[in-house]
Every structure is written in C-alpha cells, then in structure tokens.
Amino acid sequence: MSRELTEKLGLKEGISFVVGMVIGSGVFFKASAVFKSSGTIKMGILAWILGGIITICAGLTIAEIASAIPKTGGLFVYLKEIYGEKVGFLFGWVQVTIASPGTVAAGAIILIDQLASLLPINRTYIKIFSVSLIFFLALINIFASKAVGKMQILVTIGKLIPLFLIIGFALLRGKTEVSSMSVVTFNASGFGSALLATLWAYDGWIGVATLSGEIKEPRKNVPRSIFIGLTIVIVVYVLFSYSLSRVLPFNVLAMSDKVAEDGARVLFGDIASDFISIGILISVFGALNGEYMAGSRMPYAMADNKLFPFKDKLTKLYGKDVIPVYSLLVSSTIGIAYIITGSFEMLTELVIFSLWIFFLLGVFGVFILRRKHPEMQGSYKVPLYPVVPLIGLIGGGFVLINTVVTSPVNALTSVIITLLGLPVYYLVKKKDRALEGENNLSIN
C-alpha cells in the first residue's frame, strides 16, 4: 500500500482553508478589544493594517519554505529539515498533544454554544453535542475527504456573505459623528496591546502548509494560497472594522461584547441578532473544519518521519482517497478528552508562547535555507528579500517580548511543557534504534 497522500485539493480549496482557518469567531469579537486598547478609531484601524502587514510578510516568507519543502506536516517538516529532528519533534509534540486538539475542542464548544442560541438545545448537554460534532468531522474526513475541500469553499463563501453585507451597507449608510470617535487617550502601550490582538486574530493561516501533501502542485499552490488567502482576510478585517466605526459610536465599539451584532442591528434592525448568529456559526464551523483536517495530518507526518510512537499504525492509509485514519483517530480522541475535561482553554493558553517561538524559527528559516541549502530552493521566492522576512520577524518578536513582560509565568510554563516532549523523543529514537538492530541481526 502506498504511503503517499493523494493530491486532491486545488488552489481554490487552499485559499478557502487559509481564509476559513483565520476567520473564525474572532472577527466578530476582536474588533472591540482592538479599539478599546488603541484608544481611537484611527489607531484601531491602523493596528489592523499593521497586524495585516506583519502577518502577510510572515506568510510570504513561510511560503518560500513551503515551495522548497512541499511535504505534509508544514512547519513541523520545515523545522525538522532546517534545524534538526529535535526542534521539529518538539513543535509537532505541542501541536499533536495540545495546540491542535485543544483548538478543535474549543471550536466545537463555541459552535454548539452558538447553535444553542438559535435552536432549543439544552446547554446542559453542550459537551455531548460537541463530542458528537467531532465524531461527525471524523466520519466525513474518513469517508468523504474530497468533499471536505469542497465544503470548505462553500463554508468560506457563507461566512463572508454576512461580513460583506455589513461592510457594504455600513459604507453606504453609516454616519458616525466625529465627536464620538474617541473617548480614550492614545498611548503606545495600549496600541501594542491592540496590535497583539490583531496578530492573534490573523493567526491560523499556516495550517494550509500542513496539507501540502494533499494539494495539487504544492510548490505553486501553497504559496499562492497563503498570499491570496491572507490578502482576502486583511481586506475583510480592515473594511469590517472601519465599517463598524461608521455605524457605532466609539464607546460602544470599545465596550460592547457583541460589537458585530450591535452594528448589524443598527443597519438591519432586530433581525440582525439571528443573522449574525448564523454568520458566527458558519464562520466557526469553517475554522473548525480547517483546523481539524490540518491538525489530524500532524500525527501522520511525524510518524512518517519516524518521530512518533506507533508509527507503523499511524502511517497506514486507507480508502480510495488515501486517508490516514489512525492519525485522524488520535487527533479526535485527544480533542474529545479535552472537551470532556474542559481543560482546552488552560492548556492552549499555556503553549502559545512556545508556538510563537517555533513560528519565529520558521520565518527565520528562510535565511538559513538560502544560505546553507541552495539546492532546496523552490519556484517561489519571497519578494523584497530580506525586508519582508525581517518585518515578519519583528512581528513574531513583538509577540514573544510582550508575553514575557505581561505573562512571565505562562511563558516559562509554556517552555517547560514543550520540553516535556524530549523524554518522549528519546524513547522513540531508542526504540527505533533497537528495531534497526534487530533487523540487522536477522539479515546477518
């Protein structure tokens, strides 16, 4: 049986995964946090623009590495190839055990909770419905994986419709008074917090690189997916934030828990509540679907590189669509465990610092790739080198420094949790060497 995944996703699916994984529930709720921290509407919008510039610079940089190393596993494979097995393993360890399943668990809870506001669902059973949702995602990924890509396109279009309607009507009809545009004095620290909030909102795009082994012509389509997808996201975020500022006074923008719903109610009336709830529902499902599919490929990628326990099982592929079923089951099981225990928020928060360290290493990797591995160069080159990668590094560095200053205990805990993967790495390598020794003896 072939151990290679089939290339069943095209450029449209790649773009939809980028847009779908980035635009989740955050676009509906993060705007108020950005405006509150920045102090003025103009500085809030500037924060979205700068956050977008930093993100797309990082994306264009990672895209060059994706073009040079078009393999399933994304950042895990890039780090392994550039920095060695240990670094790659530690990133994969955090992704497989905490980050990806934790994000899926959180997304499932949010989606069912949002659905409960539209349908008569007893909130006592939210966890049961959330677990059922994970089972549903597993089934469609196993038995209809090609349909998952098509579904992601439809879901992405569906989540953009309410956003574009709000943007369109707000630009045509909005008339916010200038006197209400600011109630807080601008300060650099506040703007830094606003910029950090936008960087969180832009996060998630790198997941498409994890699917490289299933994307047609990955050397071309992965970089294009990242660039086009992020461009769409940045335009939507900036226009959406500006549109809200045209229909709501600043004090509402800065303090509202449901700023998108408030803006839609001004534009469309009371029907806006259900309208926005449906938009959030579709948006969260798109992000959840993308994260689930990308995250479930990580155990396969690690096992295929002989860096995960039970690699013989995890690398087995089944069905006409060639699906890593055991890898899907690992991700699903951990995600369900987090839903049942309710531990996903705490765990994902604790590993964010380490994830940004790996992300920064990934961006810096383009310098190493060009200098030490010219033979690995792909067809795509990051434009305006080295300026664009440096901007990406500045953004990643800002996140790390801010986390160390504001949450030093969380930062240290994040590193400790990551390093707990080292004993697992050494056990896997020890077992692998023992098996190789047995095989050599049997040959002799």
Side-chain angles (χ1 to χ4, degrees):
M1 183 180 293
S2 173
R3 293 179 62 189
E4 293 184 359
L5 295 168
T6 58
E7 297 177 348
K8 48 185 171 282
L9 305 173
L11 178 60
K12 289 185 292 184
E13 287 86 356
I15 294 170
S16 69
F17 271 103
V18 173
V19 176
M21 292 178 71
V22 175
I23 301 180
S25 60
V27 66
F28 296 97
F29 303 112
K30 277 290 184 183
S32 58
V34 173
F35 283 123
K36 183 178 181 180
S37 297
S38 61
T40 72
I41 285 177
K42 289 181 179 178
M43 296 311 294
I45 293 172
L46 179 62
W48 282 111
I49 294 172
L50 286 180
I53 291 172
I54 291 171
T55 301
I56 205 163
C57 286
L60 291 172
T61 303
I62 293 292
E64 177 171 329
I65 303 176
S67 178
I69 313 173
K71 300 177 182 178
T72 294
L75 190 56
F76 156 70
V77 178
Y78 310 156
L79 294 174
K80 173 182 170 291
E81 295 287 340
I82 296 172
Y83 297 101
E85 280 189 350
K86 287 181 186 177
V87 175
F89 174 86
L90 289 177
F91 170 74
W93 160 260
V94 174
Q95 278 289 104
V96 170
T97 59
I98 299 175
S100 184
T103 301
V104 168
I109 291 285
I110 292 171
L111 191 147
I112 298 300
D113 188 58
Q114 188 66 34
L115 190 62
S117 67
L118 296 173
L119 300 175
I121 294 176
N122 191 327
R123 293 183 181 272
T124 306
Y125 303 110
I126 280 181
K127 285 188 177 182
I128 295 175
F129 283 108
S130 299
V131 170
S132 300
L133 178 59
I134 301 297
F135 277 119
F136 169 72
L137 288 173
L139 288 174
I140 61 173
N141 270 270
I142 291 172
F143 296 106
S145 66
K146 287 184 179 179
V148 173
K150 304 298 180 185
M151 180 175 67
Q152 189 69 12
I153 294 175
L154 294 175
V155 170
T156 300
I157 294 171
K159 73 167 60 182
L160 290 176
I161 289 174
L163 292 172
F164 284 142
L165 283 174
I166 292 175
I167 291 169
F169 277 87
L171 293 178
L172 290 173
R173 297 166 53 184
K175 293 181 180 180
T176 300
E177 294 293 331
V178 176
S179 60
S180 67
M181 288 181 68
S182 179
V183 294
V184 183
T185 303
F186 167 75
N187 64 83
S189 176
F191 183 75
S193 297
L195 182 59
L196 188 64
T198 67
L199 290 175
W200 295 134
Y202 282 120
D203 194 28
W205 55 268
I206 201 169
V208 72
T210 309
L211 300 169
S212 292
E214 296 171 81
I215 293 178
K216 299 171 185 176
E217 298 185 82
R219 292 184 186 274
K220 293 181 180 179
N221 286 332
V222 171
R224 288 175 180 173
S225 297
I226 292 173
F227 175 69
I228 297 173
L230 281 178
T231 300
I232 292 171
V233 171
I234 292 166
V235 170
V236 170
Y237 277 7
V238 173
L239 285 179
F240 185 68
S241 298
Y242 175 69
S243 299
L244 289 176
S245 73
R246 288 180 58 84
V247 297
L248 296 172
F250 185 82
N251 61 324
V252 176
L253 280 175
M255 305 306 296
S256 175
D257 292 330
K258 298 181 178 179
V259 65
E261 186 175 318
D262 291 337
R265 184 173 286 109
V266 171
L267 291 169
F268 310 120
D270 291 336
I271 196 174
S273 178
D274 288 344
F275 173 74
I276 292 301
S277 294
I278 293 171
I280 295 174
L281 195 66
I282 296 172
S283 190
V284 173
F285 182 76
L288 176 60
N289 181 56
E291 179 63 42
Y292 180 83
M293 187 171 181
S296 65
R297 268 50 178 180
M298 188 63 74
Y300 167 83
M302 293 185 71
D304 198 40
N305 282 269
K306 299 181 179 180
L307 289 176
F308 207 76
F310 311 109
K311 59 181 180 293
D312 292 337
K313 288 284 187 183
L314 291 172
T315 52
K316 285 186 177 180
L317 303 170
Y318 296 89
K320 63 179 181 179
D321 292 338
V322 194
I323 305 301
V325 173
Y326 285 107
S327 184
L328 282 162
L329 293 177
V330 168
S331 296
S332 301
T333 302
I334 298 174
I336 288 170
Y338 287 157
I339 290 174
I340 294 172
T341 60
S343 58
F344 51 85
E345 286 187 2
M346 176 191 71
L347 289 169
T348 50
E349 286 178 5
L350 287 178
V351 299
I352 281 174
F353 181 76
S354 291
L355 290 176
W356 276 89
I357 292 177
F358 291 122
F359 182 72
L360 203 62
L361 287 172
V363 175
F364 186 75
V366 75
F367 294 100
I368 299 175
L369 193 69
R370 287 200 178 194
R371 182 181 174 185
K372 295 185 177 180
H373 304 284
E375 77 284 355
M376 294 174 64
Q377 293 298 308
S379 58
Y380 167 83
K381 304 287 186 184
V382 59
L384 301 177
Y385 179 90
V387 175
V388 168
L390 287 174
I391 294 173
L393 287 173
I394 291 170
F398 172 75
V399 173
L400 293 182
I401 293 171
N402 185 279
T403 305
V404 169
V405 172
T406 59
S407 305
V409 175
N410 278 4
L412 180 61
T413 305
S414 179
V415 173
I416 291 173
I417 290 174
T418 302
L419 293 178
L420 287 175
L422 282 176
V424 180
Y425 169 79
Y426 288 120
L427 284 173
V428 170
K429 296 302 291 183
K430 182 179 180 181
K431 185 177 179 180
D432 195 47
R433 284 193 296 269
L435 287 173
E436 286 182 3
E438 291 177 4
N439 291 334
N440 290 335
L441 285 174
S442 63
I443 293 172
N444 294 331

